[in-house]
Amino acid sequence: MPTRHPCSIGILVSGRGSNMLAILRAVEAGRVGGARVAVVLSDRPGARALKVAERRGVPAVWVDPKGAASREDYDKKLAAALEAAGVSPGKGLVLLAGFMRLLSPWFVKRFGGRLMNVHPSLLPSFPGLDAQRQALEHGVKVAGCTVHFVVPEVDAGPIVAQAAVRVEPTDTEETLAARILAQEHRIYPLAVKLFVEGRLKIEGRRVVIDRR
Ligand code: GAR
């Protein structure tokens, strides 16, 4: 039973899972205040992240979207799987790590304030899909990534952490994405650590960090 851990984490993925792996490694190394990753859930059966999690001994489950009558109906399946693994709305933490489905207002409300996402742009610039391509096409000289709390509006919640990278004149979408991803792997585990240590307070649009 998941009782001795201060915070049980559930991670939602759809693909490669490199952010999930960065978080798993940080937790395994004891860099996240004794939290544990209780379960990894995917909406896609072939997600590489599921295999990566399994290999590290973390329960990894495909939650099939087929058969769900609505977005909320599917999200209720997700919530049930999370809660069965000990990730409770009042105490757990749910992390989106390349999870490419929109969540219903029902789910966001249920895990409100305990639900974070990483996005490959300096929000509020370039929300939504293909953020790195949007940045290149816009011609920005600085790009980056953002960890934020999730609200019903896409990529719009209170910002926990950001990191900037230079955009080089020779960058392609792939080279820029790789430079940004390295920063995602750095700031997402850090944001999780701050949350687990109880050092994040949401005040309206702002996240106040207790710097101790
Ligand atoms: C990451 O770059 C993440 O920021 C992005 O998907 C990638 C997932 O990679 N997420 C979004 O664009 C969400 N809007 P990963 O599966 O290797 O962590």
Side-chain angles (χ1 to χ4, degrees):
M1 288 294 285
T3 44
R4 269 176 295 132
H5 297 272
C7 185
S8 289
I9 297 172
I11 306 182
L12 307 189
V13 297
S14 296
R16 179 177 55 183
S18 71
N19 276 289
M20 174 204 74
L21 182 58
I23 291 158
L24 285 176
R25 284 188 171 141
V27 168
E28 286 166 9
R31 281 187 275 128
V32 189
R36 65 159 198 156
V37 177
V39 72
V40 170
L41 303 177
S42 168
D43 61 329
R44 298 191 189 157
R48 203 184 123 226
L50 287 175
K51 286 205 180 65
V52 175
E54 257 166 25
R55 271 206 299 274
R56 301 184 92 85
V58 176
V61 183
W62 168 46
V63 181
D64 188 354
K66 254 194 248 120
S70 63
R71 193 174 292 288
E72 184 172 314
D73 198 29
Y74 180 72
D75 289 358
K76 287 189 170 154
K77 287 201 210 180
L78 287 179
L82 287 165
E83 289 168 42
V87 184
S88 64
K91 281 202 267 185
L93 173 63
V94 179
L95 302 174
L96 311 185
F99 187 64
M100 300 315 272
R101 271 180 80 91
L102 293 179
L103 289 166
S104 61
W106 178 85
F107 187 94
V108 175
K109 189 163 174 223
R110 188 159 183 83
F111 286 94
R114 314 188 77 87
L115 178 57
M116 293 203 280
N117 180 42
V118 64
H119 181 76
S121 80
L122 291 173
L123 291 171
S125 291
F126 314 128
L129 293 176
D130 301 320
Q132 303 94 332
R133 187 189 313 165
Q134 292 185 56
L136 278 182
E137 285 177 357
H138 199 91
V140 294
K141 305 298 187 208
V142 175
C145 52
T146 303
V147 176
H148 63 93
F149 283 104
V150 175
V151 294
E153 299 74 34
V154 177
D155 299 328
I159 291 169
V160 179
Q162 292 187 301
V165 303
R166 276 166 64 129
V167 180
E168 305 292 349
T170 52
D171 265 333
T172 62
E173 219 181 303
E174 289 70 33
T175 58
L176 179 59
R179 195 174 309 119
I180 293 172
L181 192 65
Q183 294 304 313
E184 296 181 39
H185 296 166
R186 191 176 64 77
I187 67 170
Y188 209 0
L190 192 64
V192 173
K193 172 185 156 69
L194 290 170
F195 179 90
V196 170
E197 291 177 353
R199 291 162 64 187
L200 302 179
K201 196 154 101 203
I202 302 175
E203 288 184 359
R205 263 225 55 82
R206 295 176 60 229
V207 175
V208 179
I209 301 174
D210 176 0
R211 298 281 177 192
R212 292 211 174 134

